[in-house]
Every structure is written in structure tokens, then in C-alpha cells.
Amino acid sequence: MEVNKPLEIRLKAKAAELGFAACGVARADAAPRTAERLRQWLAEGAHGDMLWMEARAHHRESPAGLWPEVQSVIALGMSYAPREDPLRLADETDRARISVYAQGVDYHDVVKKALKALARWLVAEAGGDLKVFVDTAPVMEKPLAEAAGLGWQGKHTNLVSRTDGSWLFLGAIYTTLSLAPDTAGRDSCGSCDACQRACPTHAFPAPYRLDARRCISYLTIEHAGPIPLEFRAALGNRIYGCDDCLAACPWNKFAETARANRAFLPRAELAAPRLADLLGLDDAGFRQVFSGSPIKRIGRDRMMRNCLIAAGNSGDAGLVAAVAPLLNDANEVVREAAEWAMAQLNPSPRP
């Protein structure tokens, strides 16, 4: 009978029922090198403007640093494996490229809802205290997921799974229960460096090390000021995030789109939006288009900055009419990006 099976087996079955493609258990102290690596990364300034990484570093260094009572970590992954090539819009310069993970509904809401349901089940089955986390909390999900056997941190620093490639949203449950741990994931990157070679801005100074200040995902999402000139051409038509290093991973060939949660299927208006349409959005329009999307978090001004860089890279003089009104935008960063885009498009002087 089901009730006679070990708790860990029943836990994984329940996780699968709730939409998780992966579930594993690690001891709370199973990733001891996390603190050392985090300190080095912060000391190098590689976190850029993400001051929240530094402010709560002591909580990130270990699960016990955040919650001393924790005994076990349940790591979970929800697949968002794309059905289409994430790089298919690279040459369609009139279109904007949005990272695969942000084309559907906000994963925070979907993953957290499932985590809470699993947490309620676990308390009912075995008791104990627990806490649930997606990536808005000071939790180092990737090394913990590796320790729990979900995969390994690849040379692009993201988790790689033998069954789901690089396409997993991660969540974690901290619990006071002492659960039987799974075997940790084993690095299977070998000599492959496809992810590093794929990076348009050379954001990997070495394997397994990321300089966020050079990363397109960081620049388009976390960075608030003007995009540094040296990276603008490399952004191409990317306006939110970048999938290049993830898409390059050979392990993706084993990722089954059937395992992906349907909530993450692309919304039609976000799969291949026209730059001209996005450039015309005011704040209310931005909120309407990106309602229920993680993109909403960056706000209209940052999105306009990104779209203007993409417009400048397009070489399409037909976008001048959409760029021109933004030369007088209320936001200084948007105005600067509009001036740059106009200079790149080099419109003919008006008589």
C-alpha cells in the first residue's frame, strides 16, 4: 500500500502529481563550498548592482544561516522546456527576443503555489516545521539542487539535468524533518564549453564562473542605468534576458517538452512581439501587456531602454517614427537610449 512506502518515495510521487519534473532531498549542510564561492564572487564585484545579494549574504551562505532549525532541504524543479528553438528570432530584427522563461505566466506564482501544496501534504503526513522558497528569498537553489541530485551546476553556472537539460525552475522546502538524502548530482560537462562560447558578451571569465556585469540577462533585467556602450551591439534584439548559453547545452537534447508545465507555454503577444508595438507603450500599456508576467517587475522605463537598444541594432530606418517620441521621454535613461538609437539608424535629415 502507498502508506507503507517510505516518506521520501511518497514525497516524490506527490511532487510529480503537483507538476514538478524533479524532486530530491539533501541534508541542510550538504553544500559546504557555497559560502566560500559566494564570498569570492561578491568580493570580485561580479554581482554588479544586485546589492541584495551582498546585503543578505550571511543568509545565503547556508540553509542554517537563514533558519538554524533546518535539518533537510527538499529541492524541486519544474520544467519549462521550450517547444521551439529559443534562438529562432535572432535574425528577425523587427521582432523583440524575450527569454523563454518569461514568455508565459510568472513562474514565481506557479512554483510557489505548488510548493505550498506539497508543504501542506508533508505536514499532514509527517509533521515538522518548514519554509518554502522560490528565488525571491536568500536561498542558493542551484548548489542545493545539485546536492539533492537534481543535476549539476554547469559551466554556465546554471543547473543542468540529464532529463530536463537547462530548463528547470527551481524551488526549495526547508524542513525540520530529518529525511534520507539523495545522491548528489555529478558534473557531466566534461570538456564541453559550448555554453561559454555561445555567450555574446563573454560573461564567463572561466568555467563555472559568471561575471553578471557582462551578462545580457543582468543588463536587461537587473541593471537600472544606461546599458554600457561596449555591450549594446551584442544585445541584438534581446529585450529581456538571454537564452544563448542555456540553448547551447548539448544535454538539452534529452529535455522532453511534454514534461514542461503548460502554464509556461508562450503567450502569443510575448512569443515574437514587434519592436514598433513595444516602443509605443506608455506605463498603462506596459502594465496591460505584461500583466501576470515576470517582465512587469522591471517597469516600463527599463523595458523602453532595452527596446531602444534593439531598435538601434536593427538597422531598420522604419523604426525611426517609433523612436522619435522617446527623445522627449520623462526618463533620462530612456532619452539617452533614444538618442543612441536615432544615431545608429542614421535617418536622412528632414527638409
Side-chain angles (χ1 to χ4, degrees), residues 193-323:
D193 63 352
C195 59
Q196 295 174 284
R197 289 185 284 107
C199 181
T201 53
H202 309 291
F204 300 106
Y208 310 103
R209 291 178 58 197
L210 170 69
D211 186 342
R213 296 166 295 186
R214 303 184 65 89
C215 175
I216 291 177
S217 287
Y218 165 82
L219 291 168
T220 56
I221 300 172
E222 303 296 344
H223 180 62
I227 302 290
L229 290 172
E230 65 179 301
F231 301 127
R232 293 189 182 187
L235 262 66
N237 58 346
R238 302 173 187 83
I239 64 163
Y240 189 92
C242 178
D243 292 315
D244 290 34
C245 68
L246 301 179
C249 181
W251 285 97
N252 289 334
K253 65 185 177 184
F254 298 109
E256 298 178 14
T257 56
R259 289 167 59 86
N261 191 305
R262 292 186 60 82
F264 306 130
L265 290 175
R267 289 165 46 182
E269 67 273 26
L270 300 184
R274 293 174 56 86
L275 273 173
D277 294 337
L278 294 176
L279 287 167
L281 295 176
D282 58 13
D283 189 65
F286 170 83
R287 291 176 178 275
Q288 181 178 4
V289 170
F290 296 106
S291 175
S293 163
I295 299 173
K296 186 178 178 181
R297 177 173 76 88
I298 70 171
R300 176 261 179 190
D301 294 342
R302 206 173 298 184
M303 174 57 72
M304 285 303 106
R305 175 202 64 184
N306 298 343
C307 290
L308 285 162
I309 301 301
N313 287 331
S314 72
D316 182 0
L319 289 173
V320 167
V323 171

Side-chain angles (χ1 to χ4, degrees), residues 164-218:
D164 297 286
S166 293
W167 312 112
L168 284 177
F169 290 128
L170 299 177
I173 298 176
Y174 286 8
T175 175
T176 56
L177 296 174
S178 182
L179 301 174
D182 288 288
T183 302
R186 183 174 61 86
D187 188 335
S188 298
C189 287
S191 60
C192 178
D193 63 352
C195 59
Q196 295 174 284
R197 289 185 284 107
C199 181
T201 53
H202 309 291
F204 300 106
Y208 310 103
R209 291 178 58 197
L210 170 69
D211 186 342
R213 296 166 295 186
R214 303 184 65 89
C215 175
I216 291 177
S217 287
Y218 165 82

Side-chain angles (χ1 to χ4, degrees), residues 20-41:
F20 290 105
C23 176
V25 176
R27 289 171 47 92
D29 59 357
R33 295 191 61 192
T34 301
E36 174 190 345
R37 291 173 176 172
L38 177 61
R39 291 186 196 121
Q40 179 183 354
W41 189 67

Side-chain angles (χ1 to χ4, degrees), residues 146 151-154 158-162 185-189 251:
E146 178 177 301
W152 68 95
Q153 275 192 269
N158 291 287
L159 193 80
V160 182
S161 161
R162 286 180 173 271
R186 183 174 61 86
D187 188 335
S188 298
C189 287
W251 285 97

Side-chain angles (χ1 to χ4, degrees), residues 42-107:
L42 293 172
E44 293 170 352
H47 59 304
D49 295 338
M50 296 185 289
L51 302 181
W52 38 269
M53 294 289 298
E54 186 175 349
R56 300 192 66 182
H58 58 295
H59 288 151
R60 296 178 186 278
E61 290 179 353
S62 71
L66 178 62
W67 189 30
E69 291 76 22
V70 62
Q71 295 296 312
S72 303
V73 174
I74 304 166
L76 297 123
M78 195 171 281
S79 172
Y80 67 103
R83 296 185 177 183
E84 296 190 81
D85 178 5
L87 310 182
R88 71 189 186 285
L89 299 178
D91 297 324
E92 297 189 31
T93 55
D94 64 323
R95 302 283 176 169
R97 293 170 65 185
I98 294 173
S99 184
V100 169
Y101 86 86
Q103 293 179 23
V105 301
D106 193 335
Y107 69 94

